[in-house]
Amino acid sequence: MFRTVYRVYEISLFGSLSQFDLLKLTGFIETVLASSIAKAYIDEIRQKVETFDRQPVLVGFLANNDPAARMYANWTKKTCEESGFKYVLKEVNKEELEDEVLAANEDDEVNGMMVYFPVFGTRQDQYLQQLISPEKDVEGLSHIYLQNLYHNVRYLDKEEKKKSILPCTPLAIVKILEYLGVYNTLIPYGNRLYGKTITVINRSEIVGRPLAALLANDGAVVYSFDIENVQRFTRGKGLKMKHHEVADVDISLKDATNISDVVITGVPTESYKFPVEYLKDGAVCINFSSFKNFDPEVKNHASLYVPSIGKVTISMLLRNLLRLIDNKSQ
């Protein structure tokens, strides 16, 4: 960071270039890989697991033929084994999944579990999410955790000893934004996105909506886009609101992203490409879709670009598992 500042001031002798032009000229616009962000978390997780008497056990249920889900399962298995966890992948028919989840809820050997969605692609998937015991829900999709997230409640108990679990993909994006310096650490915790504008192109119940709420709870103005409409998530004026507010708004993608400090995409189709000419120069761009939502040209506009987040998501999933174990021990 200090070298970057030095080089920018040094090159400013060449004329009145914008900060973004200076970044391009000095070569500091870069692609940031999820593996480099995840490393510190994985190291921390591994050290804690080494203090346990037995390996924590994570069970994953795969009941679809989605290549992205299988890839995610493979990454999870690899990271678990490298970090000292035992990972069990159970491939089951979708009709058998409910019984399998209920059995794992009662199995004391299982510390955490997850289902690779979509399974049915209907509201039945939401039922399956709520079927997992909150004590074993590593993805943070239980209604208890989601209610806390939307109301900006960070603990499960009055004594504030048991931390609430956050959905692992939205949490991964928050950790990436912290790593990239988007969060302002000079502002008190809980307000560190104050003054930032962020666009999220995805409003799924698993990632997009809880992500927008998390970012708004931390002080950002968030424009949330999906097929049907646009919503603005805010925490109201000033820093005193406890949790976010949502309003339908009439704003185009171009106008929203042109004023956004961060653009986050999660469109689950191979054909979708974000029009990078809409970007504000120097914006931070993050893609959490399994498809590449940004063309390589994004590097001509963005200051920092994270093309995928899978490895950070898995590290947050394991972090959640350790938190569940801690909560149970309280």
Side-chain angles (χ1 to χ4, degrees):
M1 181 181 292
F2 294 107
R3 183 178 59 190
T4 302
V5 173
Y6 172 77
R7 289 283 302 279
V8 167
Y9 277 115
E10 181 181 56
I11 201 70
S12 66
L13 297 173
F14 288 100
S16 56
L17 297 174
S18 70
Q19 185 177 5
F20 180 67
D21 288 333
L22 290 170
L23 286 170
K24 288 198 289 187
L25 192 56
T26 53
F28 283 108
I29 298 170
E30 62 179 302
T31 299
V32 181
L33 299 179
S35 56
S36 62
I37 303 171
K39 185 180 183 304
Y41 294 109
I42 294 298
D43 289 345
E44 176 187 329
I45 289 164
R46 186 184 295 115
Q47 290 173 12
K48 183 161 186 178
V49 171
E50 288 174 353
T51 68
F52 290 177
D53 294 332
R54 72 174 184 90
Q55 286 182 302
V57 177
L58 173 65
V59 175
F61 292 102
L62 184 62
N64 62 39
N65 296 316
D66 184 359
R70 183 167 292 279
M71 180 175 67
Y72 186 27
N74 290 338
W75 283 351
T76 306
K77 181 179 190 300
K78 184 175 184 294
T79 306
C80 278
E81 292 174 349
E82 291 174 348
S83 306
F85 293 79
K86 180 180 179 181
Y87 175 76
V88 179
L89 178 64
K90 293 192 175 183
E91 299 188 45
V92 300
N93 294 327
K94 61 178 69 175
E95 291 77 14
E96 301 171 353
L97 182 56
E98 180 175 355
D99 289 339
E100 291 285 346
V101 169
L102 290 173
N105 280 342
E106 300 299 323
D107 188 347
D108 291 336
E109 293 298 311
V110 176
N111 299 105
M113 70 177 90
M114 60 184 297
V115 175
Y116 295 98
F117 292 104
V119 177
F120 293 93
T122 64
R123 291 180 65 86
Q124 193 166 348
D125 284 2
Q126 295 177 24
Y127 166 72
L128 289 170
Q129 291 168 19
Q130 301 310 316
L131 203 62
I132 296 175
S133 167
E135 292 184 351
K136 300 186 179 186
D137 178 17
V138 295
E139 292 196 292
L141 299 176
S142 168
H143 70 279
I144 295 173
Y145 300 136
L146 291 177
Q147 179 178 332
N148 282 354
L149 182 155
Y150 288 123
H151 289 269
N152 202 13
V153 175
R154 307 197 177 207
Y155 291 89
L156 295 169
D157 58 333
K158 292 182 180 179
E159 295 77 21
E160 297 189 352
K161 293 182 178 180
K162 298 181 180 181
K163 284 192 174 182
S164 195
I165 304 298
L166 292 172
C168 53
T169 301
L171 179 59
I173 295 171
V174 167
K175 294 302 181 183
I176 289 169
L177 291 174
E178 289 179 348
Y179 179 91
L180 298 179
V182 176
Y183 275 72
N184 185 348
T185 57
L186 297 178
I187 299 176
Y189 181 74
N191 294 318
R192 290 177 173 177
L193 286 181
Y194 189 64
K196 301 293 185 182
T197 301
I198 299 174
T199 292
V200 179
I201 308 172
N202 174 293
R203 204 185 309 137
S204 67
E205 295 300 324
I206 293 178
V207 183
R209 188 184 297 277
L211 173 61
L214 273 176
L215 299 176
N217 284 344
D218 281 339
V221 173
V222 183
Y223 291 101
S224 172
F225 283 79
D226 74 354
I227 295 173
E228 295 179 356
N229 64 353
V230 187
Q231 293 183 333
R232 183 176 61 216
F233 288 63
T234 65
R235 230 180 52 202
K237 294 182 179 179
L239 295 172
K240 295 182 180 180
M241 293 291 290
K242 291 186 177 180
H243 59 82
H244 71 280
E245 299 175 334
V246 183
D248 292 336
V249 292
D250 184 15
I251 188 171
S252 68
L253 180 64
K254 180 179 181 180
D255 288 343
T257 54
N258 195 244
I259 60 171
S260 291
D261 305 289
V262 181
V263 175
I264 303 169
T265 59
V267 182
T269 57
E270 190 171 6
S271 60
Y272 178 81
K273 298 296 178 185
F274 176 83
V276 294
E277 65 272 15
Y278 291 179
L279 288 172
K280 170 184 176 181
D281 274 350
V284 171
C285 294
I286 300 171
N287 173 55
F288 67 83
S289 171
S290 56
F291 300 99
K292 294 181 179 179
N293 288 167
F294 292 100
D295 281 327
E297 189 188 350
V298 67
K299 297 178 186 178
N300 294 328
H301 300 267
S303 58
L304 295 166
Y305 170 48
V306 183
S308 65
I309 70 164
K311 292 185 178 179
V312 184
T313 299
I314 294 170
S315 68
M316 292 302 106
L317 185 145
L318 297 182
R319 201 163 172 260
N320 279 350
L321 178 51
L322 294 181
R323 184 156 289 170
L324 289 171
I325 293 172
D326 282 345
N327 286 349
K328 192 171 182 179
S329 69
Q330 292 295 328

